[in-house]
């Protein structure tokens, strides 16, 4: 025998089931609870959806992330993708190798050997027109192609890699601007030791940086113009009593010489004088408009005790 509560439950669920059957599946779907909201799309996912015309699909990773991996920064590939960056790598590589290299070796070094031929030809055209790279055509070919010949580094000052070549290059200069050591090191990185030796031999005049005494500019020197000074003469020279700048004016006058400058003592005394400024008297000009208050505005300061 069913209890009172069971009879109440059956009376309630019976009409509810019949009402659901009459409404149909569409109404049941509308009464379905809402799904939780999706997270806000990032800039990358929004751009991908706009380009593809559909909803971006999240790519699943193949495995766990390696330790220390940072995805906010690009990976260091060693070479750049722009033509300027690749050209810089090629120049430094040819300078380091210091020997002719084929175009296939250059393309492999900058990872362009898998690119289409049109891209390779465009890159080689930039290499041949670069002033720091020299193209050596193949003598065995009657007509050169885009992949023929070899390439070497062309320094700013060519054919100077020892002391004899440096002195010969300096003698051929027609001006007195000197030679920049930075330009010389472009083709001869170890030139500093040779410059120091030539300076001691009085064959080069060297201008150095004050910070680290490294050579900055060099000029030709003539060893025949150098004359050694006797050490005894140097000692006698340093014993000479040289008057100070304050007394040299008076010493010249005492020996009958005419100084070319003003006496520093008198000049210092003139600078120490303080110019007395005259007190300017106040002058009242204009028409008096408050004549009825002259007795009130009268100055009685002179009558103070």
């Amino acid at each position: 025998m069913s209890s009172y509560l069971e009879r109440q439950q059956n009376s309630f669920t019976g009409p509810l089931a019949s009402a659901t059957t009459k409404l149909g599946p569409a109404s049941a779907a509308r009464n379905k609870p809402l799904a939780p909201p999706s997270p806000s799309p990032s800039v990358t996912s929004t751009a991908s959806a706009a380009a593809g015309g559909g909803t971006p699909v999240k790519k699943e990773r193949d495995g766990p992330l390696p330790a220390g991996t940072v995805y906010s920064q690009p990976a260091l590939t060693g070479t750049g993708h722009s033509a300027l960056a690749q050209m810089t790598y090629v120049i430094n590589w040819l300078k380091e190798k210091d020997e002719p290299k084929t175009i296939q070796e250059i393309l492999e070094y900058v990872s362009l050997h898998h690119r289409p031929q049109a891209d390779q030809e465009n890159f080689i055209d930039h290499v041949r027109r670069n002033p720091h790279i020299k193209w050596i055509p193949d003598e065995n070919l009657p007509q050169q192609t885009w992949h023929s010949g070899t390439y070497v580094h062309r320094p700013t000052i060519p054919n100077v890699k020892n002391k004899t070549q440096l002195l010969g290059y300096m003698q051929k200069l027609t001006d007195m601007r000197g030679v920049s050591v930075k330009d010389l090191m472009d083709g001869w990185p170890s030139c500093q030791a040779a410059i120091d030796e030539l300076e001691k031999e009085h064959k080069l005049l060297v201008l150095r940086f004050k910070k680290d005494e490294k050579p900055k500019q060099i000029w030709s020197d003539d060893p025949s113009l150098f004359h050694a000074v006797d050490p005894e003469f140097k000692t006698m020279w340093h014993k000479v009593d040289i008057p100070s700048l304050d007394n040299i004016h008076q010493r010249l006058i005492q020996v009958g010489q005419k100084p070319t400058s003003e006496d520093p003592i008198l000049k210092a005394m003139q600078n120490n004088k303080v110019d007395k400024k005259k007190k300017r008297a106040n002058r009242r000009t204009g028409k008096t408009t408050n004549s009825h208050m002259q007795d009130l505005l009268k100055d009685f300061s002179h009558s103070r005790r």
Side-chain angles (χ1 to χ4, degrees):
M1 182 176 180
S2 60
S3 63
Y4 174 77
L5 294 177
E6 292 177 354
R7 291 196 301 271
Q8 292 291 336
Q9 183 181 4
N10 295 332
S11 62
F12 176 76
T13 55
L16 181 61
S18 59
T20 304
T21 306
K22 294 178 180 180
L23 291 175
S27 299
R30 285 195 297 265
N31 296 331
K32 186 178 180 180
L34 298 177
S38 59
S40 301
S42 61
V43 177
T44 306
S45 60
T46 306
S48 303
T55 304
V57 180
K58 185 177 180 181
K59 182 180 179 181
E60 296 182 358
R61 296 188 177 94
D62 297 335
L65 297 178
T69 304
V70 180
Y71 282 91
S72 60
Q73 299 293 337
L76 298 177
T77 57
T79 58
H81 295 285
S82 64
L84 180 60
Q86 291 171 341
M87 201 65 60
T88 304
Y89 283 112
V90 171
I91 295 173
N92 294 334
W93 183 63
L94 292 176
K95 185 190 302 185
E96 179 184 355
K97 296 301 181 180
D98 196 19
E99 60 182 4
K101 294 294 182 181
T102 62
I103 190 57
Q104 185 64 26
E105 293 174 330
I106 294 176
L107 292 175
E108 290 179 357
Y109 177 73
V110 293
S111 302
L112 293 178
H113 56 288
H114 295 304
R115 292 286 189 91
Q117 181 176 342
D119 296 344
Q120 297 181 5
E121 293 180 4
N122 184 31
F123 179 73
I124 294 306
D125 181 62
H126 285 80
V127 171
R128 291 185 179 181
R129 290 189 287 109
N130 193 286
H132 298 283
I133 299 177
K134 180 181 179 181
W135 174 46
I136 304 176
D138 191 353
E139 299 178 354
N140 299 325
L141 296 178
Q143 185 176 1
Q144 303 297 324
T145 60
W146 68 273
H147 54 79
S148 63
T150 56
Y151 299 84
V152 293
H153 173 247
R154 176 181 292 171
T156 306
I157 302 178
N159 303 325
V160 177
K161 294 188 177 182
N162 53 51
K163 294 193 294 185
T164 304
Q165 294 176 351
L166 176 58
L167 293 177
Y169 176 78
M170 300 290 293
Q171 292 175 359
K172 294 179 182 179
L173 298 178
T174 58
D175 51 28
M176 297 301 296
R177 292 181 298 177
V179 176
S180 173
V181 179
K182 181 180 179 181
D183 295 341
L184 186 62
M185 293 180 64
D186 185 48
W188 186 15
S190 60
C191 64
Q192 184 173 350
I195 292 176
D196 296 339
E197 295 177 2
L198 292 175
E199 184 184 19
K200 293 179 180 179
E201 297 172 3
H202 305 286
K203 295 181 180 180
L204 284 182
L205 294 174
V206 184
L207 175 64
R208 298 180 179 273
F209 290 99
K210 293 183 179 180
K211 183 178 180 180
D212 50 9
E213 293 297 326
K214 291 185 178 180
K216 177 181 179 182
Q217 201 89 0
I218 57 176
W219 291 267
S220 295
D221 194 7
D222 191 353
S224 62
L225 301 178
F226 175 77
H227 298 279
V229 181
D230 193 288
E232 184 179 359
F233 179 80
K234 293 182 180 180
T235 304
M236 295 174 59
W237 174 264
H238 290 296
K239 288 182 179 180
V240 175
D241 184 17
I242 302 176
S244 62
L245 295 177
D246 296 336
N247 300 328
I248 194 170
H249 190 275
Q250 297 296 332
R251 294 283 295 273
L252 289 174
I253 295 177
Q254 291 175 3
V255 297
Q257 299 291 334
K258 183 178 180 180
T260 58
S261 60
E262 188 179 358
D263 190 354
I265 299 178
L266 296 178
K267 187 176 181 180
M269 293 175 60
Q270 292 177 0
N271 294 335
N272 293 332
K273 290 182 179 180
V274 179
D275 296 337
K276 295 183 179 180
K277 296 183 179 180
K278 296 181 179 181
K279 188 176 181 180
R280 184 176 180 180
N282 295 329
R283 296 182 180 179
R284 297 184 62 183
T285 58
K287 184 178 179 181
T288 304
T289 58
N290 50 358
S291 58
H292 62 285
M293 300 180 65
Q294 290 182 358
D295 295 337
L296 298 177
L297 300 177
K298 189 176 181 180
D299 186 11
F300 295 95
S301 60
H302 61 279
S303 60
R304 293 179 181 177
R305 293 180 181 181

